[in-house]
Amino acid sequence: GIEAFAAFNKKYPNAQLNLYGACNGKGDDAEVWCKEQNISANINFHGEIPFDELMVALSKADIFLHTSLEESCPMVLIEAMAMGIPSVAGEKAGGIPWMMEEGGGRLADITNKESILQALFEVVQPQNYRKASEQARNIAVTRFSKDAVLNKYLEAYKQILAK
């Protein structure tokens, strides 16, 4: 993801990559690696921060780059979608392809820098961005809202009780 961003940043020099979570803070593994690779321009290392601060930071994002190898149903992806933030995420990353099967961004081979880069280039195209933003918000509301999830549980309980 970082390598793809560095290539993306050459075409979009005002773009910023903000890294959060373990090993992504100042002086941590990610920053050390980026400096060794000479690709730390426009990359901000925030590390672990309180949830409320993370949600404020996420709300200011234009694209959510999620390059996890495997996730069943990452809440942060749902939170980004609920904010209408298009995502680039793994096409084989556990439950993510199912989560994004109706849109909301682009799926990519996250083990391949060029695949991630192509997905980023596609998402930033104005017509694609608007559509992905609308889709992301719609998916979050219709599939992952409290009411939608509660109704799924109630339907499952009804089926069990009917047997």
Side-chain angles (χ1 to χ4, degrees), residues 80-102:
M81 293 172 89
M83 293 178 197
I85 301 168
S87 299
V88 171
E91 66 189 7
K92 296 179 182 174
I96 291 174
W98 168 78
M99 293 173 70
M100 294 180 62
E101 70 186 355
E102 296 169 13

Side-chain angles (χ1 to χ4, degrees), residues 4-45:
F5 171 77
F8 180 82
N9 202 227
K10 290 176 183 173
K11 184 170 181 180
Y12 296 95
N14 293 327
Q16 299 281 318
L17 178 64
N18 292 288
L19 299 177
Y20 297 93
C23 302
N24 289 312
K26 293 262 184 219
D28 287 343
D29 294 350
E31 184 179 35
V32 170
W33 183 86
C34 285
K35 286 183 178 181
E36 288 172 355
Q37 305 303 312
N38 198 31
I39 56 172
S40 56
N42 293 353
I43 301 176
N44 306 299
F45 302 90

Side-chain angles (χ1 to χ4, degrees), residues 23-85:
C23 302
N24 289 312
K26 293 262 184 219
D28 287 343
D29 294 350
E31 184 179 35
V32 170
W33 183 86
C34 285
K35 286 183 178 181
E36 288 172 355
Q37 305 303 312
N38 198 31
I39 56 172
S40 56
N42 293 353
I43 301 176
N44 306 299
F45 302 90
H46 301 280
E48 295 183 60
I49 63 171
F51 178 77
D52 292 347
E53 290 178 32
L54 181 61
M55 289 302 99
V56 169
L58 181 60
S59 73
K60 296 175 184 176
D62 293 312
I63 298 172
F64 182 60
L65 179 57
H66 191 275
T67 54
S68 178
L69 289 171
E70 186 172 341
E71 297 269 356
S72 57
C73 188
M75 284 301 299
V76 70
L77 179 57
I78 296 169
E79 289 155 344
M81 293 172 89
M83 293 178 197
I85 301 168

